[in-house]
DNA sequence: CATACAATGATACATTGATACAATTTGAAA
DNA sequence: TTTCAAATTGTATCAATGTATCATTGTATG
């Protein structure tokens, strides 16, 4: 008995599979069949049901995760988030980059680091990241 | 009241849980909230508080143990170690600050800011702070 | 026909969870 | 005091889960 979701995919519709999965999950949350806290099937379980590669399911999950609708965690699984969380995420996006930078400097200062130390460490890190992205 | 540590984990940050635990302990040692000789909660206690698997806490402890920062002993528990020498303490401070910088960059990236934007914002802030301290 | 690009598949990997185990402490009985 | 079983604590191993990277396929587009 692996018929757990009852998802119906249309392989001929032209709409990408991962998008159909995203839409269907959205519909089920809106309709109340899926509720906050519910665990979704693992990417491999759902892929097995839908006769699809699990990467395709993973792609759908990732999109929903970035939208703040579900939470995917490596080694744990994926869960429906509270609607509040999505709103909270929206509010968090309103946090400016300046706020983040100030938090960083403030926390460093609290731990006893001088501004010069903090600046140097940050610049070192940035230079390292620039190199890594360029060498790929 | 099992709220003993007050650790705040972010399950959606993308930073692995065990790494968040490692970072937080490093910060508390650097900041002086944790001192040599202090006993950390058992892996199971802390796991209960943080709602994670105790293996995840054990992994964090093992990393800190291998770094010579804490001492974990089967059957006894885990304790904060005395820094071997000034160099070890310097290394801990450096790593702590580096973690802080990485968190900053990661969070900025998660909010959609490019590395260049993040760098510029930070440098602007630093320059402003330098001026302010000079004009006082 | 060739090329570019998006979608999907294959594979290796990192993180977390479940379970059994070993070392140490504790406490009661002898 | 000694002994020893039970509880407590960290360790080791493997399974389960999502992630990252690249290859393959199919489909527009020139």
């Amino acid at each position: 008995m692996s018929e757990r979701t009852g998802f119906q995919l249309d392989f001929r519709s032209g709409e990408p599979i991962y998008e159909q999965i995203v839409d269907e999950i959205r519909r089920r949350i809106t309709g109340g069949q899926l509720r906050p806290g519910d665990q979704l099937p693992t990417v491999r379980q759902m892929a097995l049901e839908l006769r699809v590669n699990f990467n395709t399911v993973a792609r759908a999950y990732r999109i929903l995760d970035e939208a703040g609708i579900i939470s995917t965690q490596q080694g744990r699984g994926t869960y429906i988030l509270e609607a509040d969380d999505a709103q909270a995420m929206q509010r968090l996006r309103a946090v400016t980059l300046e706020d983040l930078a100030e938090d960083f400097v403030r926390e460093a200062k609290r731990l006893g680091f001088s501004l010069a130390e903090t600046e140097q460490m940050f610049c070192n890190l940035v230079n390292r990241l620039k190199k890594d992205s360029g060498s790929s």
Side-chain angles (χ1 to χ4, degrees), chain A:
Chain A
M1 166 57 178
S2 57
E3 177 71 23
R4 298 194 56 240
T5 65
F7 276 32
Q8 287 299 329
L9 295 182
D10 183 352
F11 290 92
R12 279 164 292 179
S13 73
E15 183 184 18
I17 302 301
Y18 72 90
E19 208 173 306
Q20 291 185 44
I21 297 173
V22 167
D23 291 346
E24 182 61 25
I25 293 176
R26 280 204 149 105
R27 273 195 291 273
R28 297 202 175 194
I29 293 176
T30 305
Q33 294 93 13
L34 284 177
R35 311 168 75 168
D38 286 355
Q39 179 170 19
L40 289 173
T42 70
V43 292
R44 287 171 177 83
Q45 279 177 346
M46 178 167 281
L48 202 62
E49 281 185 40
L50 304 182
R51 313 279 183 153
V52 165
N53 189 277
F54 74 83
N55 290 289
T56 304
V57 179
R59 183 170 179 181
Y61 282 7
R62 184 168 52 78
I63 290 174
L64 290 165
D65 182 276
E66 288 171 353
I69 295 173
I70 67 177
S71 166
T72 70
Q73 293 163 43
Q74 195 166 345
R76 292 189 128 187
T78 76
Y79 299 83
I80 309 289
L81 283 179
E82 297 284 344
D84 289 348
D85 288 357
Q87 292 173 359
M89 281 305 297
Q90 287 302 97
R91 261 181 275 125
L92 266 183
R93 285 190 199 293
V95 172
T96 66
L97 184 55
E98 185 172 12
D99 291 334
L100 280 183
E102 284 172 352
D103 288 349
F104 168 43
V105 172
R106 183 181 310 114
E107 180 69 4
K109 183 176 181 183
R110 185 184 72 79
L111 292 178
F113 295 101
S114 72
L115 186 56
E117 280 179 303
T118 304
E119 183 180 20
Q120 177 161 2
M121 180 60 77
F122 176 82
C123 292
N124 285 345
L125 174 62
V126 168
N127 289 334
R128 201 159 60 242
L129 291 176
K130 279 181 183 172
K131 252 189 214 165
D132 288 355
S133 73
S135 72
S136 68

